[in-house]
Amino acid sequence: MLQVNEKPNRDVAALMADIGARARAAARPLAIASALRKQTALFAMAEALRRNEQTILAANAIDLKNGEDAGLSGALMDRLKLDPSRVRAMAAGVRAIAELKDPVGEVIAEWDRRNGLHIERVRTPLGVIGVIYESRPNVTADAGALCLKAGNPVILRGGSDSLNSSAAIHACLVEGLKAAKLPVDAIQLVPTTDRAAVGEMLKGLGGNLDVIVPRGGRNLVERVQNEARVPVFAHLEGICHVYVDRSAKRDMAVNIVVNAKMRRTGICGAAETLLVDRAVAATHLVPILEALAEAGCEIRASDEVRAAFPQAKPATDADWTTEYLDAIISVKLVDGVGDAIEHIETHSSHHTEAIVAEDAAAVERFFNEIDSAILLHNASTQFADGGEFGMGAEIGIATGKMHARGPVGVEQLTSFKYRVRGSGQVRP
Protein backbone atom coordinates (compact mmCIF):
# COMPACT_ATOMS: atom_id res chain seq x y z
CA MET A 1 0.00 0.00 0.00
CA LEU A 2 1.34 3.41 -0.99
CA GLN A 3 1.29 6.10 1.64
CA VAL A 4 2.29 9.74 1.56
CA ASN A 5 4.49 10.59 4.52
CA GLU A 6 2.28 12.51 6.93
CA LYS A 7 5.28 13.74 8.97
CA PRO A 8 3.15 13.92 12.15
CA ASN A 9 5.90 15.45 14.26
CA ARG A 10 6.33 18.48 12.04
CA ASP A 11 4.32 21.64 12.34
CA VAL A 12 2.28 22.12 9.14
CA ALA A 13 3.21 25.79 8.84
CA ALA A 14 6.91 24.93 9.05
CA LEU A 15 6.47 22.06 6.60
CA MET A 16 4.73 24.27 4.05
CA ALA A 17 7.23 27.10 4.53
CA ASP A 18 10.04 24.67 3.75
CA ILE A 19 8.21 23.42 0.63
CA GLY A 20 7.70 27.01 -0.52
CA ALA A 21 11.33 27.91 0.03
CA ARG A 22 12.55 24.86 -1.86
CA ALA A 23 10.18 25.63 -4.75
CA ARG A 24 11.49 29.20 -4.90
CA ALA A 25 15.06 27.92 -4.92
CA ALA A 26 14.18 25.71 -7.91
CA ALA A 27 12.62 28.61 -9.82
CA ARG A 28 15.75 30.18 -11.31
CA PRO A 29 17.47 26.99 -12.52
CA LEU A 30 14.17 25.87 -14.00
CA ALA A 31 13.52 29.23 -15.67
CA ILE A 32 16.86 29.10 -17.46
CA ALA A 33 16.77 25.38 -18.25
CA SER A 34 17.06 24.64 -21.96
CA ALA A 35 14.05 23.51 -23.97
CA LEU A 36 15.87 20.24 -24.65
CA ARG A 37 16.43 19.51 -20.95
CA LYS A 38 12.79 20.12 -20.11
CA GLN A 39 11.71 17.99 -23.05
CA THR A 40 14.02 15.20 -21.91
CA ALA A 41 12.43 15.28 -18.46
CA LEU A 42 8.92 15.17 -19.89
CA PHE A 43 9.66 12.25 -22.18
CA ALA A 44 11.15 10.39 -19.22
CA MET A 45 8.03 11.16 -17.16
CA ALA A 46 5.75 9.80 -19.88
CA GLU A 47 7.82 6.64 -20.08
CA ALA A 48 7.77 6.23 -16.30
CA LEU A 49 3.98 6.57 -16.26
CA ARG A 50 3.64 3.84 -18.87
CA ARG A 51 6.17 1.58 -17.18
CA ASN A 52 4.53 1.97 -13.77
CA GLU A 53 0.94 1.54 -14.96
CA GLN A 54 0.22 -1.40 -12.66
CA THR A 55 1.72 0.36 -9.65
CA ILE A 56 -0.46 3.39 -10.34
CA LEU A 57 -3.58 1.25 -10.77
CA ALA A 58 -2.86 -0.63 -7.55
CA ALA A 59 -2.58 2.68 -5.69
CA ASN A 60 -5.78 3.90 -7.33
CA ALA A 61 -7.60 0.73 -6.24
CA ILE A 62 -6.82 1.67 -2.63
CA ASP A 63 -8.22 5.16 -3.18
CA LEU A 64 -11.35 3.78 -4.87
CA LYS A 65 -11.98 1.41 -1.96
CA ASN A 66 -11.51 4.26 0.50
CA GLY A 67 -13.84 6.42 -1.61
CA GLU A 68 -16.55 3.77 -1.58
CA ASP A 69 -16.23 3.38 2.19
CA ALA A 70 -16.48 7.17 2.58
CA GLY A 71 -19.61 7.31 0.40
CA LEU A 72 -18.20 9.51 -2.38
CA SER A 73 -20.77 10.44 -5.02
CA GLY A 74 -20.82 8.77 -8.43
CA ALA A 75 -19.42 11.92 -10.03
CA LEU A 76 -16.48 12.05 -7.60
CA MET A 77 -15.82 8.34 -8.01
CA ASP A 78 -15.72 8.80 -11.80
CA ARG A 79 -13.19 11.61 -11.39
CA LEU A 80 -11.12 9.50 -9.01
CA LYS A 81 -11.08 6.32 -11.08
CA LEU A 82 -8.09 5.35 -13.20
CA ASP A 83 -8.00 2.45 -15.64
CA PRO A 84 -5.36 1.36 -18.17
CA SER A 85 -6.75 3.66 -20.87
CA ARG A 86 -6.72 6.68 -18.55
CA VAL A 87 -3.17 6.01 -17.38
CA ARG A 88 -2.04 5.67 -20.99
CA ALA A 89 -3.91 8.86 -21.89
CA MET A 90 -2.12 10.58 -19.01
CA ALA A 91 1.25 9.44 -20.36
CA ALA A 92 0.26 10.48 -23.88
CA GLY A 93 -0.72 13.90 -22.54
CA VAL A 94 2.68 14.38 -20.93
CA ARG A 95 4.37 13.32 -24.18
CA ALA A 96 2.18 15.77 -26.12
CA ILE A 97 3.26 18.56 -23.77
CA ALA A 98 6.89 17.58 -24.34
CA GLU A 99 6.40 17.98 -28.07
CA LEU A 100 4.86 21.45 -27.81
CA LYS A 101 6.93 24.48 -28.71
CA ASP A 102 8.75 25.78 -25.65
CA PRO A 103 7.15 29.11 -24.74
CA VAL A 104 9.96 30.52 -22.61
CA GLY A 105 11.94 33.14 -24.48
CA GLU A 106 9.43 33.40 -27.34
CA VAL A 107 9.17 36.91 -28.76
CA ILE A 108 5.46 37.71 -28.63
CA ALA A 109 5.77 41.11 -30.32
CA GLU A 110 8.48 43.51 -31.41
CA TRP A 111 8.62 46.99 -32.86
CA ASP A 112 10.92 49.93 -33.53
CA ARG A 113 10.60 53.45 -32.19
CA ARG A 114 11.49 56.60 -34.11
CA ASN A 115 14.46 57.15 -31.80
CA GLY A 116 15.95 53.85 -32.93
CA LEU A 117 15.03 51.76 -29.90
CA HIS A 118 14.02 48.20 -30.70
CA ILE A 119 11.46 46.78 -28.23
CA GLU A 120 10.55 43.12 -27.74
CA ARG A 121 7.90 41.52 -25.54
CA VAL A 122 9.23 38.10 -24.46
CA ARG A 123 7.57 35.19 -22.63
CA THR A 124 8.90 34.34 -19.16
CA PRO A 125 7.79 31.81 -16.52
CA LEU A 126 5.11 32.98 -14.09
CA GLY A 127 6.94 31.72 -11.01
CA VAL A 128 5.95 29.21 -8.33
CA ILE A 129 2.48 27.80 -8.93
CA GLY A 130 0.30 26.07 -6.36
CA VAL A 131 -2.34 23.61 -7.51
CA ILE A 132 -5.02 22.48 -5.04
CA TYR A 133 -7.24 19.71 -6.34
CA GLU A 134 -9.75 17.05 -5.36
CA SER A 135 -10.34 13.56 -6.71
CA ARG A 136 -8.74 13.80 -10.16
CA PRO A 137 -5.32 12.09 -9.77
CA ASN A 138 -4.50 12.85 -13.41
CA VAL A 139 -4.14 16.51 -12.41
CA THR A 140 -0.87 15.48 -10.74
CA ALA A 141 0.63 14.60 -14.12
CA ASP A 142 -1.07 17.34 -16.14
CA ALA A 143 -0.16 20.16 -13.76
CA GLY A 144 3.38 18.92 -13.15
CA ALA A 145 4.11 18.58 -16.86
CA LEU A 146 2.54 21.88 -17.91
CA CYS A 147 4.27 23.88 -15.21
CA LEU A 148 7.62 22.29 -16.05
CA LYS A 149 7.24 23.06 -19.76
CA ALA A 150 6.56 26.70 -18.94
CA GLY A 151 9.56 26.83 -16.57
CA ASN A 152 7.54 27.06 -13.34
CA PRO A 153 8.06 25.08 -10.14
CA VAL A 154 4.76 23.67 -8.88
CA ILE A 155 3.45 22.65 -5.46
CA LEU A 156 0.71 20.03 -5.77
CA ARG A 157 -1.81 19.57 -2.98
CA GLY A 158 -4.11 16.70 -3.92
CA GLY A 159 -7.13 15.62 -1.92
CA SER A 160 -7.12 12.88 0.66
CA ASP A 161 -9.35 10.82 -1.64
CA SER A 162 -6.60 10.57 -4.27
CA LEU A 163 -3.67 10.36 -1.86
CA ASN A 164 -2.18 7.06 -3.01
CA SER A 165 -2.79 7.62 -6.73
CA SER A 166 -1.19 11.07 -6.65
CA ALA A 167 1.85 9.74 -4.80
CA ALA A 168 2.39 7.00 -7.39
CA ILE A 169 2.07 9.47 -10.27
CA HIS A 170 4.31 12.04 -8.56
CA ALA A 171 7.05 9.41 -8.19
CA CYS A 172 7.07 9.08 -12.00
CA LEU A 173 7.44 12.84 -12.40
CA VAL A 174 10.37 12.93 -10.00
CA GLU A 175 11.97 10.13 -11.98
CA GLY A 176 11.78 12.34 -15.08
CA LEU A 177 13.31 15.33 -13.28
CA LYS A 178 16.22 13.20 -12.13
CA ALA A 179 16.76 11.80 -15.62
CA ALA A 180 17.17 15.33 -16.98
CA LYS A 181 19.21 16.54 -13.99
CA LEU A 182 16.62 19.17 -13.10
CA PRO A 183 15.87 20.15 -9.47
CA VAL A 184 13.60 17.52 -7.89
CA ASP A 185 11.94 20.35 -5.93
CA ALA A 186 10.56 21.67 -9.23
CA ILE A 187 7.52 19.42 -8.73
CA GLN A 188 6.55 18.82 -5.10
CA LEU A 189 3.57 16.93 -3.69
CA VAL A 190 2.39 18.18 -0.29
CA PRO A 191 2.99 15.19 2.02
CA THR A 192 0.06 15.76 4.37
CA THR A 193 -3.73 15.70 4.17
CA ASP A 194 -4.01 18.24 7.00
CA ARG A 195 -6.34 21.00 5.78
CA ALA A 196 -4.04 23.54 7.40
CA ALA A 197 -1.69 22.99 4.46
CA VAL A 198 -4.28 24.56 2.16
CA GLY A 199 -4.52 27.56 4.46
CA GLU A 200 -0.77 28.05 4.32
CA MET A 201 -0.85 27.96 0.52
CA LEU A 202 -3.64 30.53 0.45
CA LYS A 203 -1.45 32.82 2.52
CA GLY A 204 1.24 32.57 -0.16
CA LEU A 205 3.93 30.59 1.70
CA GLY A 206 5.79 33.66 2.84
CA GLY A 207 5.77 35.28 -0.59
CA ASN A 208 7.08 32.17 -2.33
CA LEU A 209 3.83 31.29 -4.13
CA ASP A 210 2.91 33.40 -7.18
CA VAL A 211 -0.33 31.84 -8.46
CA ILE A 212 -2.91 29.34 -7.16
CA VAL A 213 -5.03 27.06 -9.34
CA PRO A 214 -7.89 25.24 -7.56
CA ARG A 215 -9.57 22.26 -9.22
CA GLY A 216 -12.47 20.72 -7.36
CA GLY A 217 -15.94 21.30 -6.01
CA ARG A 218 -17.66 24.58 -5.27
CA ASN A 219 -16.62 24.61 -1.59
CA LEU A 220 -12.94 24.31 -2.44
CA VAL A 221 -12.93 26.85 -5.26
CA GLU A 222 -15.05 29.34 -3.33
CA ARG A 223 -12.73 29.11 -0.34
CA VAL A 224 -9.66 29.65 -2.51
CA GLN A 225 -11.19 32.62 -4.30
CA ASN A 226 -12.31 34.21 -1.02
CA GLU A 227 -9.18 33.62 1.05
CA ALA A 228 -6.20 33.56 -1.33
CA ARG A 229 -3.66 36.35 -0.97
CA VAL A 230 -2.14 35.57 -4.37
CA PRO A 231 -3.75 35.57 -7.85
CA VAL A 232 -6.11 32.69 -8.64
CA PHE A 233 -6.88 30.96 -11.96
CA ALA A 234 -10.19 29.15 -11.54
CA HIS A 235 -13.81 28.62 -12.42
CA LEU A 236 -16.38 28.27 -9.66
CA GLU A 237 -18.88 26.15 -11.59
CA GLY A 238 -19.39 24.77 -15.09
CA ILE A 239 -23.01 25.60 -15.81
CA CYS A 240 -22.77 24.94 -19.55
CA HIS A 241 -25.56 25.40 -22.09
CA VAL A 242 -26.44 23.96 -25.48
CA TYR A 243 -28.82 26.04 -27.60
CA VAL A 244 -30.57 24.35 -30.55
CA ASP A 245 -31.51 27.02 -33.06
CA ARG A 246 -34.42 26.88 -35.54
CA SER A 247 -31.84 26.39 -38.31
CA ALA A 248 -30.22 23.36 -36.65
CA LYS A 249 -30.09 19.98 -38.37
CA ARG A 250 -32.15 17.65 -36.19
CA ASP A 251 -29.88 14.59 -36.26
CA MET A 252 -26.82 16.74 -35.57
CA ALA A 253 -28.61 18.37 -32.65
CA VAL A 254 -29.51 14.98 -31.17
CA ASN A 255 -25.94 13.71 -31.41
CA ILE A 256 -24.37 16.87 -30.01
CA VAL A 257 -26.75 17.22 -27.06
CA VAL A 258 -26.43 13.57 -26.00
CA ASN A 259 -22.65 13.72 -26.22
CA ALA A 260 -22.46 17.10 -24.45
CA LYS A 261 -24.45 15.74 -21.51
CA MET A 262 -23.71 12.04 -21.34
CA ARG A 263 -20.17 11.33 -22.60
CA ARG A 264 -18.82 12.11 -19.14
CA THR A 265 -21.30 13.71 -16.78
CA GLY A 266 -18.80 14.53 -14.04
CA ILE A 267 -16.58 16.97 -15.94
CA CYS A 268 -16.92 20.74 -15.91
CA GLY A 269 -17.59 20.84 -19.68
CA ALA A 270 -20.69 18.64 -19.45
CA ALA A 271 -23.87 20.40 -20.59
CA GLU A 272 -26.26 21.17 -17.74
CA THR A 273 -29.01 23.11 -19.56
CA LEU A 274 -30.59 22.58 -22.97
CA LEU A 275 -32.35 25.45 -24.70
CA VAL A 276 -34.45 24.66 -27.78
CA ASP A 277 -35.85 27.25 -30.18
CA ARG A 278 -39.63 27.19 -29.87
CA ALA A 279 -39.83 27.37 -33.68
CA VAL A 280 -38.53 23.77 -33.96
CA ALA A 281 -40.06 22.32 -30.82
CA ALA A 282 -42.44 20.19 -32.89
CA THR A 283 -39.62 18.58 -34.88
CA HIS A 284 -36.51 18.65 -32.69
CA LEU A 285 -37.50 18.62 -29.03
CA VAL A 286 -38.93 15.13 -28.53
CA PRO A 287 -36.23 13.28 -30.55
CA ILE A 288 -33.53 15.00 -28.47
CA LEU A 289 -35.24 14.22 -25.17
CA GLU A 290 -35.99 10.63 -26.17
CA ALA A 291 -32.30 10.13 -26.99
CA LEU A 292 -31.27 11.63 -23.66
CA ALA A 293 -33.72 9.46 -21.74
CA GLU A 294 -32.58 6.36 -23.58
CA ALA A 295 -29.00 7.19 -22.58
CA GLY A 296 -30.10 7.26 -18.93
CA CYS A 297 -30.46 10.99 -18.41
CA GLU A 298 -33.00 12.48 -16.00
CA ILE A 299 -34.79 15.43 -17.58
CA ARG A 300 -36.04 18.40 -15.57
CA ALA A 301 -38.10 20.71 -17.73
CA SER A 302 -40.36 23.72 -17.93
CA ASP A 303 -44.14 23.11 -18.04
CA GLU A 304 -44.15 23.77 -21.78
CA VAL A 305 -41.53 21.10 -22.40
CA ARG A 306 -43.28 18.64 -20.09
CA ALA A 307 -46.47 19.04 -22.11
CA ALA A 308 -44.58 17.61 -25.08
CA PHE A 309 -42.54 15.13 -23.03
CA PRO A 310 -44.52 14.08 -19.94
CA GLN A 311 -41.75 11.81 -18.63
CA ALA A 312 -39.75 14.89 -17.65
CA LYS A 313 -39.76 16.10 -14.05
CA PRO A 314 -40.73 19.70 -13.25
CA ALA A 315 -37.80 22.12 -13.21
CA THR A 316 -37.43 24.55 -10.33
CA ASP A 317 -35.72 27.94 -10.39
CA ALA A 318 -32.65 26.30 -8.83
CA ASP A 319 -32.24 23.94 -11.79
CA TRP A 320 -31.21 26.77 -14.10
CA THR A 321 -28.22 27.56 -11.88
CA THR A 322 -27.21 24.04 -10.84
CA GLU A 323 -24.07 22.21 -11.93
CA TYR A 324 -25.36 18.64 -11.68
CA LEU A 325 -22.16 16.77 -12.59
CA ASP A 326 -24.55 13.87 -13.03
CA ALA A 327 -26.94 12.38 -15.60
CA ILE A 328 -29.44 15.22 -15.18
CA ILE A 329 -30.27 18.09 -17.52
CA SER A 330 -32.64 21.05 -17.35
CA VAL A 331 -34.59 21.89 -20.51
CA LYS A 332 -36.46 25.00 -21.65
CA LEU A 333 -37.94 26.43 -24.86
CA VAL A 334 -36.81 29.90 -25.96
CA ASP A 335 -37.87 32.38 -28.62
CA GLY A 336 -34.84 32.30 -30.90
CA VAL A 337 -31.21 33.16 -30.40
CA GLY A 338 -31.91 36.45 -28.60
CA ASP A 339 -33.95 34.74 -25.89
CA ALA A 340 -31.31 32.01 -25.59
CA ILE A 341 -28.59 34.63 -25.11
CA GLU A 342 -30.66 36.35 -22.44
CA HIS A 343 -31.13 33.08 -20.52
CA ILE A 344 -27.44 32.16 -20.77
CA GLU A 345 -26.18 35.56 -19.69
CA THR A 346 -28.57 35.46 -16.72
CA HIS A 347 -27.83 31.93 -15.51
CA SER A 348 -24.45 30.87 -16.94
CA SER A 349 -21.21 30.56 -14.96
CA HIS A 350 -19.46 31.83 -18.13
CA HIS A 351 -17.58 28.58 -18.68
CA THR A 352 -18.75 26.99 -21.97
CA GLU A 353 -21.79 27.40 -24.25
CA ALA A 354 -22.66 25.78 -27.59
CA ILE A 355 -25.01 26.67 -30.43
CA VAL A 356 -26.29 24.13 -32.95
CA ALA A 357 -27.27 26.10 -36.04
CA GLU A 358 -26.86 26.51 -39.79
CA ASP A 359 -27.79 30.21 -39.76
CA ALA A 360 -24.50 32.13 -39.88
CA ALA A 361 -26.12 35.29 -38.52
CA ALA A 362 -27.45 33.44 -35.47
CA VAL A 363 -24.03 31.94 -34.84
CA GLU A 364 -22.27 35.29 -35.09
CA ARG A 365 -24.76 36.90 -32.72
CA PHE A 366 -24.29 34.04 -30.25
CA PHE A 367 -20.50 34.38 -30.45
CA ASN A 368 -20.52 38.18 -30.21
CA GLU A 369 -23.02 38.66 -27.39
CA ILE A 370 -22.23 35.85 -24.95
CA ASP A 371 -19.40 36.55 -22.54
CA SER A 372 -18.25 33.02 -21.68
CA ALA A 373 -14.72 31.67 -21.79
CA ILE A 374 -15.47 29.06 -24.48
CA LEU A 375 -18.09 29.19 -27.24
CA LEU A 376 -18.73 26.36 -29.72
CA HIS A 377 -20.67 26.08 -32.96
CA ASN A 378 -22.01 22.69 -34.03
CA ALA A 379 -19.80 20.87 -31.54
CA SER A 380 -20.18 19.27 -28.12
CA THR A 381 -19.36 21.21 -24.95
CA GLN A 382 -17.17 18.25 -23.98
CA PHE A 383 -14.49 19.73 -26.26
CA ALA A 384 -13.90 22.36 -23.55
CA ASP A 385 -10.57 20.80 -22.71
CA GLY A 386 -6.96 21.88 -23.13
CA GLY A 387 -6.00 18.58 -24.73
CA GLU A 388 -8.72 18.99 -27.33
CA PHE A 389 -7.49 22.53 -27.97
CA GLY A 390 -4.06 21.15 -28.88
CA MET A 391 -2.46 22.25 -25.60
CA GLY A 392 -1.45 18.71 -24.63
CA ALA A 393 -3.37 19.12 -21.39
CA GLU A 394 -4.64 21.88 -19.14
CA ILE A 395 -4.06 22.86 -15.55
CA GLY A 396 -7.69 24.00 -15.35
CA ILE A 397 -10.31 26.23 -16.94
CA ALA A 398 -10.29 29.91 -16.00
CA THR A 399 -13.42 32.03 -16.27
CA GLY A 400 -11.91 35.24 -14.91
CA LYS A 401 -10.86 38.05 -17.20
CA MET A 402 -7.35 38.79 -15.93
CA HIS A 403 -4.34 37.11 -17.57
CA ALA A 404 -5.78 33.65 -18.39
CA ARG A 405 -9.21 32.62 -19.64
CA GLY A 406 -10.46 29.25 -20.89
CA PRO A 407 -8.09 26.25 -20.82
CA VAL A 408 -4.94 27.15 -18.91
CA GLY A 409 -2.13 25.55 -20.87
CA VAL A 410 1.56 26.19 -21.36
CA GLU A 411 1.26 29.70 -22.81
CA GLN A 412 -1.19 30.77 -20.10
CA LEU A 413 1.39 29.73 -17.48
CA THR A 414 3.81 32.40 -18.67
CA SER A 415 4.13 36.11 -18.13
CA PHE A 416 6.36 38.43 -20.16
CA LYS A 417 9.09 41.00 -19.92
CA TYR A 418 10.30 43.72 -22.27
CA ARG A 419 13.73 43.77 -23.86
CA VAL A 420 14.75 47.17 -25.19
CA ARG A 421 17.81 47.43 -27.43
CA GLY A 422 19.45 50.78 -28.12
CA SER A 423 22.57 52.28 -29.58
CA GLY A 424 23.40 54.98 -27.04
CA GLN A 425 20.04 56.78 -26.83
CA VAL A 426 19.34 59.08 -23.87
CA ARG A 427 15.99 60.64 -23.04
CA PRO A 428 15.78 64.41 -23.61
Side-chain angles (χ1 to χ4, degrees):
M1 178 174 176
L2 291 173
Q3 291 290 348
V4 171
N5 181 7
E6 289 287 345
K7 299 187 178 179
N9 296 322
R10 295 194 61 183
D11 177 76
V12 172
L15 168 66
M16 296 306 297
D18 180 60
I19 288 174
R22 287 190 282 120
R24 179 60 67 191
R28 186 169 181 274
L30 194 59
I32 63 175
S34 69
L36 178 59
R37 179 165 288 188
K38 288 184 289 182
Q39 187 179 62
T40 298
L42 290 164
F43 281 140
M45 290 174 186
E47 177 56 33
L49 288 167
R50 285 194 295 268
R51 189 174 62 254
N52 291 284
E53 178 181 303
Q54 292 307 311
T55 300
I56 293 168
L57 292 177
N60 186 244
I62 297 170
D63 289 333
L64 290 172
K65 177 61 168 61
N66 292 340
E68 289 176 2
D69 294 344
L72 291 185
S73 68
L76 289 177
M77 289 294 288
D78 177 64
R79 292 182 175 195
L80 177 60
K81 182 180 180 181
L82 294 175
D83 56 30
S85 65
R86 289 187 181 182
V87 174
R88 291 164 196 164
M90 192 163 39
V94 172
R95 177 169 283 275
I97 293 168
E99 293 173 344
L100 293 173
K101 178 182 177 183
D102 193 297
V104 178
E106 177 188 359
V107 177
I108 306 169
E110 58 182 319
W111 61 94
D112 293 308
R113 299 290 293 151
R114 288 183 179 179
N115 59 8
L117 291 177
H118 182 73
I119 303 174
E120 300 172 326
R121 186 184 300 131
V122 183
R123 290 195 190 279
T124 61
L126 271 177
V128 179
I129 297 174
V131 184
I132 305 170
Y133 53 105
E134 299 171 330
S135 296
R136 300 178 188 272
N138 64 291
V139 174
T140 307
D142 293 347
L146 284 166
C147 289
L148 176 66
K149 184 73 174 185
N152 303 298
V154 61
I155 299 170
L156 303 167
R157 203 285 186 179
S160 58
D161 49 2
S162 59
L163 180 71
N164 295 284
S165 307
S166 295
I169 294 166
H170 177 253
C172 297
L173 306 187
V174 171
E175 191 176 322
L177 291 171
K178 290 179 177 177
K181 294 182 172 55
L182 288 171
V184 294
D185 290 333
I187 303 175
Q188 296 183 72
L189 182 68
V190 174
T192 177
T193 59
D194 192 320
R195 292 173 62 86
V198 173
E200 293 301 317
M201 291 179 72
L202 299 184
K203 294 175 187 176
L205 301 181
N208 284 320
L209 200 60
D210 295 297
V211 176
I212 290 180
V213 182
R215 289 194 65 172
R218 181 182 180 90
N219 289 341
L220 169 66
V221 177
E222 201 164 45
R223 179 190 176 191
V224 171
Q225 291 180 329
N226 289 337
E227 298 181 18
R229 299 180 188 175
V230 295
V232 176
F233 295 165
H235 72 272
L236 189 59
E237 293 176 308
I239 303 173
C240 305
H241 296 74
V242 177
Y243 164 59
V244 178
D245 185 64
R246 65 191 61 189
S247 65
K249 295 178 179 178
R250 188 185 68 182
D251 291 347
M252 179 189 292
V254 170
N255 290 336
I256 287 175
V257 172
V258 172
N259 183 267
K261 175 71 259 184
M262 298 301 293
R263 173 187 166 271
R264 285 190 69 185
T265 60
I267 65 172
C268 60
E272 307 292 18
T273 297
L274 168 65
L275 304 174
V276 177
D277 194 330
R278 188 171 280 106
V280 290
T283 55
H284 290 43
L285 179 64
V286 172
I288 294 173
L289 299 187
E290 286 179 340
L292 284 167
E294 185 177 349
C297 185
E298 177 183 315
I299 296 164
R300 300 180 185 178
S302 64
D303 291 342
E304 191 176 9
V305 171
R306 291 181 66 237
F309 195 77
Q311 302 96 304
K313 296 181 178 181
T316 66
D317 288 344
D319 283 305
W320 311 118
T321 54
T322 296
E323 183 184 30
Y324 301 112
L325 298 174
D326 202 350
I328 306 169
I329 195 168
S330 55
V331 185
K332 179 182 179 182
L333 295 182
V334 292
D335 289 319
V337 66
D339 198 16
I341 291 169
E342 183 66 26
H343 178 96
I344 292 169
E345 282 297 291
T346 301
H347 301 289
S348 173
S349 61
H350 304 291
H351 187 293
T352 298
E353 331 294 348
I355 178 174
V356 186
E358 298 302 309
D359 181 352
V363 174
E364 287 308 301
R365 184 176 179 189
F366 189 89
F367 277 8
N368 290 336
E369 296 186 23
I370 292 180
D371 186 25
S372 294
I374 303 170
L375 301 173
L376 300 111
H377 170 219
N378 287 351
S380 168
T381 57
Q382 301 252 342
F383 284 106
D385 175 87
E388 295 297 329
F389 277 34
M391 297 175 177
E394 68 186 33
I395 201 171
I397 302 285
T399 54
K401 298 184 181 181
M402 299 299 291
H403 183 75
R405 202 172 194 213
V408 179
V410 168
E411 288 187 1
Q412 290 72 33
L413 293 174
T414 61
S415 183
F416 57 82
K417 62 184 176 184
Y418 290 96
R419 296 193 304 217
V420 182
R421 304 180 190 277
S423 53
Q425 290 91 336
V426 295
R427 187 169 177 177

